[in-house]
């Protein structure tokens, strides 16, 4: 599957959703980051950008990347309209082709799933290597299917956080797993519809 096909797919997903004026952050990000001193953050597959904007409001310098030009253009416009353009850099980037340059205090990847080619273990390993010592990698995956998800395949498998960690294969002398669990929450989808969903949360810290 080519990058063009993947871009077309994700542009379509984003285009069918109305542009948010102030998208909300993911609750797992808020849980994990509240209390951390701001630094440099990288948001992988940023989507509409609620996480990047939330981080920027707390003083983080955020590089937010997404394959979808629609998502990136919307986030860049939102950052400008909220006066956060100095703190948010929104870039179109295909993580299947290459990993963004730079070192970060926080890398987050929320629901970075795709029906197209995306070598997640390679991307997430690169993310762990891109951390400064003391930095955190927050990976939040779906553990269930929301009724409004683009993916309604009943055969979808949801690797546990432990399986995701094993797939990344990090050296415990350099990285420690600080959180690996499967909490539930009430999610809000398009049109204010709600449903209970499961998250697979993995928080890794680079120690040296
Ligand atoms: C399910 S959405 C999650 C968006 C956002 N992180 C959130 O929590 O709302 C997955 C995002 O990953 C992006 N994506 C998919 N494949 C990608 C790739 N190869 N490189 C970069 N971004 C990609 C999609 O465009 C989409 O915005």
């Amino acid at each position: 599957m080519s990058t063009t096909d993947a871009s077309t797919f994700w542009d379509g997903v984003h285009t069918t959703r109305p542009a948010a004026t102030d998208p909300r952050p993911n609750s797992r990000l808020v849980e994990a980051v509240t209390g951390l001193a701001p630094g440099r953050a990288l948001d992988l597959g940023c989507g509409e950008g609620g996480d990047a904007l939330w981080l920027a409001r707390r003083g983080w310098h955020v590089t937010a990347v997404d394959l979808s030009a629609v998502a990136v253009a919307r986030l860049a416009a939102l950052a400008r309209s909220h006066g956060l353009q100095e703190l948010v850099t929104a870039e179109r980037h295909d993580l299947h082709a290459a990993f963004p340059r730079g070192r970060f205090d926080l890398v987050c990847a929320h629901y970075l799933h795709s029906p197209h080619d995306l070598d997640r273990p390679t991307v997430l390993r690169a993310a762990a290597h891109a951390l400064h010592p003391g930095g955190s990698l927050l990976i939040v995956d779906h553990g269930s299917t929301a009724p409004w998800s683009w993916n309604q395949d009943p055969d979808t498998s949801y690797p546990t956080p432990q399986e995701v960690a094993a797939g990344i294969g990090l050296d415990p002398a350099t990285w420690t797993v600080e959180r690996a669990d499967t909490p539930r929450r009430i999610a809000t989808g398009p049109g204010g519809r709600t449903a209970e969903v499961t998250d697979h949360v993995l928080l890794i810290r680079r120690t040296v």
Side-chain angles (χ1 to χ4, degrees), residues 3 6-7 9-11 13-14 17 24-26 43-51 65-69 71 91-98 108-119 123 140 142 149-150:
T3 292
S7 301
F9 173 83
W10 283 108
D11 279 345
V13 169
H14 288 290
R17 296 178 185 159
R24 288 166 300 150
N26 283 297
D43 187 5
L44 302 174
C46 60
E48 61 186 358
D51 291 346
V65 301
D66 202 287
L67 177 63
S68 165
E91 288 177 356
R92 185 176 178 280
H93 193 102
D94 181 1
L95 292 166
H96 186 63
C108 54
H110 282 81
Y111 314 112
L112 183 61
H113 307 284
S114 179
H116 297 273
D117 288 343
L118 180 60
D119 182 349
V123 171
V140 182
H142 290 304
S149 171
W150 55 267

Side-chain angles (χ1 to χ4, degrees), residues 77-95:
L78 275 180
R80 280 193 299 276
S81 69
H82 289 281
L84 296 167
Q85 67 275 12
E86 301 299 324
L87 291 167
V88 176
T89 303
E91 288 177 356
R92 185 176 178 280
H93 193 102
D94 181 1
L95 292 166

